[in-house]
Amino acid sequence: MQPRGPLMVEHRLIERMISLIDKEVTRIGKNNAINLSFVDTAIDFIRTYADQTHHGKEEEILFRALSKKKIFSIDNRIMNELIQEHVFGRTTTYELVNARDAYQKGDKAALPLITQNLREFINFYPKHMEKEDRVFFPSSMTYFSESEQQSMLDEFWNFDRKMIHAKYKSIIESLES
């Protein structure tokens, strides 16, 4: 298996969450009310799974390895676009958290901001993942030997194993402070 395999499997799970977010946005539009529990779950999923776990593997392992290779300028340009798109996702998550917090404190005017940020994810992730799946991942794998790809896969598995511990350590530290 190539390292792009696990990344593409992760994309399929992200697509499922984006579909659920889309259904929630439709429900919000019909009822003019929000399910804060769902929004909290979506925030946690985007932060932990899509960003820290998935984008973490891309940035800290794949992109790092590519930065040590002589890659074509088109691939370097796309990699830099992807990094900027990851930043956009983080910014959108931050804005969603702020809108959710305001709404939870009674600011009903924050409801449109919540739906706006959820729509940003609906519009962003499918295009982002398609660019990776169809363009960047296939091209990026050509720069690595079979043994380098296996080493990268091993690094992916180790990265995943550490994520759960990092998440829950952060939760405990947050609760303690």
Side-chain angles (χ1 to χ4, degrees), residues 53-69:
T53 302
H54 178 74
H55 293 160
K57 281 198 283 287
E58 290 174 346
E59 293 174 0
E60 295 178 31
I61 300 170
L62 175 60
F63 296 173
R64 183 199 68 219
L66 282 168
S67 72
K68 296 175 184 173
K69 302 276 185 182

Side-chain angles (χ1 to χ4, degrees), residues 34 36 39-40 42-43 46-47 51 85-104 107 109-121 124:
I34 193 154
L36 285 177
V39 172
D40 288 341
I43 290 168
I46 297 294
R47 271 186 178 157
D51 190 41
E85 290 171 10
H86 294 173
V87 170
F88 171 80
R90 290 178 191 119
T91 301
T92 303
T93 303
Y94 176 79
E95 290 171 2
L96 176 59
V97 168
N98 287 340
R100 186 264 336 256
D101 290 349
Y103 185 84
Q104 195 169 24
D107 181 1
L111 181 63
L113 295 173
I114 292 171
T115 56
Q116 174 187 335
N117 285 295
L118 292 173
R119 280 191 187 101
E120 290 287 351
F121 290 130
F124 163 69

Side-chain angles (χ1 to χ4, degrees), residues 5-146:
L7 296 173
M8 292 172 73
V9 167
E10 291 169 1
H11 281 172
R12 304 299 72 85
L13 191 60
I14 294 168
E15 286 171 344
R16 290 169 62 191
M17 175 52 96
I18 296 304
S19 176
L20 293 169
I21 290 171
D22 191 33
K23 288 176 184 168
E24 179 63 15
V25 167
T26 299
R27 195 192 67 69
I28 293 168
K30 287 179 184 174
N31 302 335
N32 201 32
I34 193 154
N35 176 345
L36 285 177
S37 177
F38 176 85
V39 172
D40 288 341
T41 299
I43 290 168
D44 180 60
F45 179 88
I46 297 294
R47 271 186 178 157
T48 305
Y49 189 81
D51 190 41
Q52 293 174 353
T53 302
H54 178 74
H55 293 160
K57 281 198 283 287
E58 290 174 346
E59 293 174 0
E60 295 178 31
I61 300 170
L62 175 60
F63 296 173
R64 183 199 68 219
L66 282 168
S67 72
K68 296 175 184 173
K69 302 276 185 182
K70 184 169 176 54
I71 66 174
F72 291 117
S73 61
I74 184 73
D75 293 324
N76 192 56
R77 181 182 59 77
I78 293 171
M79 183 171 67
N80 287 325
E81 285 174 12
L82 295 172
I83 291 167
Q84 288 309 305
E85 290 171 10
H86 294 173
V87 170
F88 171 80
R90 290 178 191 119
T91 301
T92 303
T93 303
Y94 176 79
E95 290 171 2
L96 176 59
V97 168
N98 287 340
R100 186 264 336 256
D101 290 349
Y103 185 84
Q104 195 169 24
K105 291 176 183 169
D107 181 1
K108 300 303 179 200
L111 181 63
L113 295 173
I114 292 171
T115 56
Q116 174 187 335
N117 285 295
L118 292 173
R119 280 191 187 101
E120 290 287 351
F121 290 130
I122 295 164
N123 294 325
F124 163 69
Y125 271 105
K127 294 174 198 164
H128 175 76
M129 293 183 295
E130 183 174 0
K131 183 190 299 187
E132 290 179 337
D133 286 351
R134 295 185 184 216
V135 179
F136 188 73
F137 291 162
S139 179
S140 68
M141 292 299 106
T142 65
Y143 296 105
F144 301 104
S145 68
E146 209 170 293

